[in-house]
Amino acid sequence: MPMRTRVGALLAVAVTGLTLGATLAAPADAAPAAPKFLSASELPPHPSSAWKAGKVTDGAPEELLSCLTDALPGYDSRYRSFSTELETNAHQLMIVVGDTAKAKALAARLNKDMRSCATRIEQADPEIDAAYKSYGTLPVEEGARVHGLHTTASWGASDIHLLSVGRDGRAVTVVQWGQMGDFGDAPVKAFRKTTTTAVNKLY
């Protein structure tokens, strides 16, 4: 099974049937400029393959939906996917809500779902073992938190994912990075820098 397909399959076992709105919520008032997405060059550098950025798309990628359970339905969102020639993948999700209180609550719920994702993956599929690791918070804008998720399958697959949730005002962003490997293969320092950049670009 190709790695990109496998990564999506391992994460997607946790939750099914989730749907999102198709458009990003527009500010109700004459608000700041729209949040900006990461560019390919702002992702953790790959040692032998450059990142390629996809188009900004309405909705959310399956790789993120599987860990975010009930937090996202009802929110309009957009996302951008990234890839390399060597089957490393990444995604950025963007959500803008009506006010800062709602954004704070959404970020808290997303972080909660990240922390419980490993347990839900194991409950959904007995052939998959999952482990969670917290990489702490980042002092950027209204804050960001970084999470790690390692999945191994009975057929030998082993994949590592870094995920983060950050907020600035009414905007919340989720960043995900994944490839084959375990916690020792995760570029935590570079991903923390990517997360900081993503939150700084929200407004």
Side-chain angles (χ1 to χ4, degrees):
M1 183 183 295
M3 188 273 179
R4 288 196 187 96
T5 303
R6 189 178 74 240
V7 169
L10 289 178
L11 287 177
V13 295
V15 180
T16 59
L18 296 177
T19 57
L20 289 175
T23 56
L24 182 67
D29 50 13
K36 296 180 177 62
F37 281 83
L38 290 165
S39 64
S41 64
E42 292 166 329
L43 293 172
H46 192 283
S48 58
S49 180
W51 285 98
K52 296 179 181 179
K55 295 181 179 179
V56 175
T57 305
D58 295 331
E62 282 188 24
E63 290 85 350
L64 290 179
L65 281 177
S66 59
C67 265
L68 301 184
T69 62
D70 298 326
L72 287 178
Y75 290 99
D76 294 331
S77 63
R78 304 182 82 189
Y79 72 97
R80 169 175 276 179
S81 296
F82 305 84
S83 62
T84 69
E85 296 297 332
L86 297 177
E87 300 185 339
T88 305
N89 68 85
H91 304 278
Q92 183 186 11
L93 179 73
M94 190 92 68
I95 306 166
V96 179
V97 298
D99 56 52
T100 57
K102 291 180 180 179
K104 183 178 181 180
L106 174 60
R109 180 60 183 274
L110 293 172
N111 280 311
K112 180 180 178 181
D113 282 353
M114 296 285 192
R115 289 190 293 270
S116 64
C117 188
T119 299
R120 288 181 281 111
I121 287 176
E122 291 185 335
Q123 291 173 343
D125 192 334
E127 294 192 4
I128 297 178
D129 292 325
Y132 169 80
K133 190 172 186 177
S134 174
Y135 290 107
T137 59
L138 297 172
V140 55
E141 299 301 341
E142 269 73 55
R145 182 175 291 275
V146 179
H147 311 267
L149 178 67
H150 177 228
T151 56
T152 55
S154 60
W155 58 88
S158 177
D159 297 291
I160 179 65
H161 307 272
L162 294 175
L163 307 105
S164 61
V165 178
R167 182 176 72 87
D168 184 5
R170 299 183 297 113
V172 177
T173 190
V174 177
V175 183
Q176 177 266 340
W177 168 98
Q179 69 172 31
M180 292 185 293
D182 55 27
F183 286 117
D185 300 305
V188 177
K189 183 177 180 179
F191 186 78
R192 287 168 66 90
K193 181 178 179 181
T194 293
T195 297
T196 298
T197 300
V199 177
N200 278 327
K201 294 181 76 168
L202 289 177
Y203 286 118

